Amino acid sequence: MTILVLADRSEDIVSQPTRSAIAAATQIGGDVHVLVLGGAAAAQSAAKLPGVAKVILADGPAYEHGLAEPAAALLVALAPAYSHLLAPGSAMGKNIMPRVAALLDVQIISDIAGVEGADTFRRFIYAGNALATVKTSDEKKVLTVRAASFDPVPAEGGSAAVEAAPGAESPALSSFVGAEIAKSERPELTAARVIISGGRALGSAENFAILDKVADKLGAAVGASRAAVDAGYAPNDHQVGQTGKIVSPELYIAVGISGAIQHLAGMKDSKVIVAINKDEEAPIFQVADYGLVGDLFKLMPELEAELG
Amino acid sequence: MKLLVPVKRVVDYNVKVRVKADGTGVETANVKMSMNPFDEIAVEEAVRLKEKGIVTEIVAVSIGPAQAQEQIRTALAMGADRGILVEAEGTEPLAVAKILKAIAEREQPQVVILGKQAIDDDMNATGQMLAALLGWSQGTFASKVEIADGAAIVTREVDGGLETVKLTLPAIVTTDLRLNEPRYASLPNIMKARKKPIETLKPADLGVDATPRLTVLKVEEPPKRLAGRKVASVAELVDKLRNEAKVI
Ligand SMILES: Cc1cc2nc3c(=O)[nH]c(=O)nc-3n(C[C@H](O)[C@H](O)[C@H](O)COP(=O)(O)OP(=O)(O)OC[C@H]3O[C@@H](n4cnc5c(N)ncnc54)[C@H](O)[C@@H]3O)c2cc1C
Ligand SMILES: Nc1ncnc2c1ncn2[C@@H]1O[C@H](COP(=O)(O)O)[C@@H](O)[C@H]1O
């Protein structure tokens, strides 16, 4: 059994969710190969991951921006050598892997949260309200991995060879026009040790900056509820939840967030949860380890000061 | 140009979903059902494209039980022109994509707009699978769609922010939350929708084998998180985080 993991990269290193996907692959068993699209430096970082036997680098303009059509065609060309094809459940993985699965006539299993065997996996359904165990009859398995459910493999410790990907057809169906990727000094949400998230209660983009001050003190990433994103207080990639990012930091601080099931689906695996809300009946308190009832506009400056 | 919008009947997002005691699934009897919220966004986008004169006909498709007629009617009341109901239950994204492919081959749309994710199975797969089967381009998680000169310019919500791609038509688009705010159907439009045609088919009529590939071995309640306790002040909170939880 050999497993291929499609890597996601942030800048020049493979992302932490990719390392979680490799951990899931290791649990399934067998040799693990990693495919990196565009980015020789990221391929080098993948080669250092423990448990990785080989890195395949697909360089070239078709792969640079991770467009789904050429990436899926390449994965299909590589597929005969593999029993399982995995990717982290990031925007990239979710864009590409279902396309790969359909080309292989396989039913994808998205966002696996547990491995029960080579063909049996656990995953959440209904916004995390239920946990299903599913067994596939497809010979080849195509999966995305819910990173929050698998401790990432360490960043160092292995030394795999890097080889160039074989040529594959490159369907010119779409082209990359541009991107607005916010450069931030803060950690990425899916890799952060501490996250502070704000909700509708923040009231404006200016007010949202109160969270930045506390985030600075804690070295935290900043997240948001859907309501805060929809209202334009925070950018879309900050959304935590069922249909946003799924996070599992050591500490998650929810500020002015009510705790709708769709939000909880994205953060309830956090180790320690703090809720700050003026409504003591807010459902977020039902999952919080520490709850603080009060007005966030009074409490946040106090918190900033207390953290020194 | 013609546009297809697949709409799925799902448990309403406000319902507190309960796992069945026998572990075979979740309780769906006597539960409020609605159109998948992402599909409402898809229908809204289709109707706006029609209002702009870019799209001439909108066909709403649902694969589901006979009651999925209701969700097709909702799409018709929002502005779709006619509906197709494919009666099948328990279909997985691959089978849905195969059914939609057969319909696309018959209807020849230039664009299919789907939701990015059904809020029941949370698969986030059908649009991408349909694009693969048709050999079309895909613009997933769209927050903006512009169609002109045989191409669709799609702004996508990705992990670090936004990305824009240009798709050759015909193309698949899947909606994200920020694409638009779906309208409510007006009473006159609900009345008008009753007269719009809905065709009913079976997967076999389309030559599709919809046999599931996955067997659900069990469905259980996720591990419960216990509520902790309230702290009285910021000072107490910081003390607990430092000395009890040891996370800062
Ligand atoms: C298809 C779909 C997908 C969704 N996906 C997501 C998702 O991925 N992520 C997500 O978060 N949501 C998602 N939602 C939305 C979700 O259902 C809720 O609407 C949303 O999470 C509410 O955001 P909120 O808690 O910020 O706002 P609200 O529910 O309005 O809560 C605001 C809270 O702030 C408190 N508050 C107000 N003023 C103050 C103050 N001065 N000090 C302290 N507290 C104060 C209030 O007591 C209240 O509890 C989704 C919904 C749908 C239909
Ligand atoms: N049974 C169905 N009938 C109609 N559309 C569907 C069906 N299943 C999935 N879809 C479409 O595919 C999208 C993504 O669903 P999924 O891949 O299941 O998360 C939905 O938002 C719908 O637009």
Side-chain angles (χ1 to χ4, degrees), chain A residues 56 88 107 258:
Chain A
I56 303 169
Q107 175 53 52
S258 60

Side-chain angles (χ1 to χ4, degrees), chain A residues 198-201 224-228 239-245 255-263 276-279 282 294-297, chain B residues 13 37-38 119 177:
Chain A
R200 195 195 308 272
S225 71
R226 172 189 174 180
Q239 183 181 313
V240 170
Q242 177 193 16
T243 61
K245 286 186 177 147
V255 183
I257 293 178
S258 60
I261 185 76
Q262 292 87 1
H263 188 78
I276 299 178
N277 197 302
K278 72 173 182 193
D279 172 10
D295 184 346
L296 74 94
F297 294 105
Chain B
Y13 81 96
F38 287 98
I119 61 163
L177 295 168

Side-chain angles (χ1 to χ4, degrees), chain A residues 140-235:
Chain A
K140 218 175 270 300
K141 284 83 182 167
V142 180
L143 316 166
T144 57
V145 176
R146 184 180 188 270
S149 299
F150 296 88
D151 286 335
V153 298
E156 309 263 340
S159 61
V162 178
E163 63 179 55
E169 110 189 79
S170 175
L173 296 170
S174 70
S175 56
F176 176 81
V177 176
E180 283 170 52
I181 305 294
K183 282 264 175 291
S184 167
E185 297 300 306
R186 296 188 198 291
E188 280 181 42
L189 272 173
T190 50
R193 209 187 61 79
V194 180
I195 295 173
I196 179 162
S197 285
R200 195 195 308 272
L202 271 298
S204 70
E206 294 74 46
N207 288 346
F208 220 82
I210 322 178
L211 302 187
D212 289 336
K213 295 186 184 158
V214 177
D216 286 340
K217 297 255 150 109
L218 293 169
V222 176
S225 71
R226 172 189 174 180
V229 175
D230 282 4
Y233 308 161

Side-chain angles (χ1 to χ4, degrees), chain B residues 7 15 17 23 54 58 84 95 107-108 145 160 166 184 186-187 198 200 202-203 216-218 227 237:
Chain B
V7 297
V15 170
V17 170
I54 296 166
I58 301 169
I84 300 174
E107 298 283 344
Q108 300 283 317
V145 177
K166 183 174 180 184
Y184 291 100
S186 66
L187 200 55
I198 298 180
T200 303
K202 292 264 193 291
V216 178
L217 300 182
K218 67 175 174 214
L237 174 64

Side-chain angles (χ1 to χ4, degrees), chain A residues 105 110 138 178 245 270 290, chain B residues 123 140 159 164 213 225 244:
Chain A
D105 193 31
S110 303
D138 286 321
K245 286 186 177 147
S270 306
Y290 302 106
Chain B
M123 275 288 198
T140 51
D159 286 342
T164 304
R213 305 291 179 83
R225 222 189 144 100
E244 191 175 87

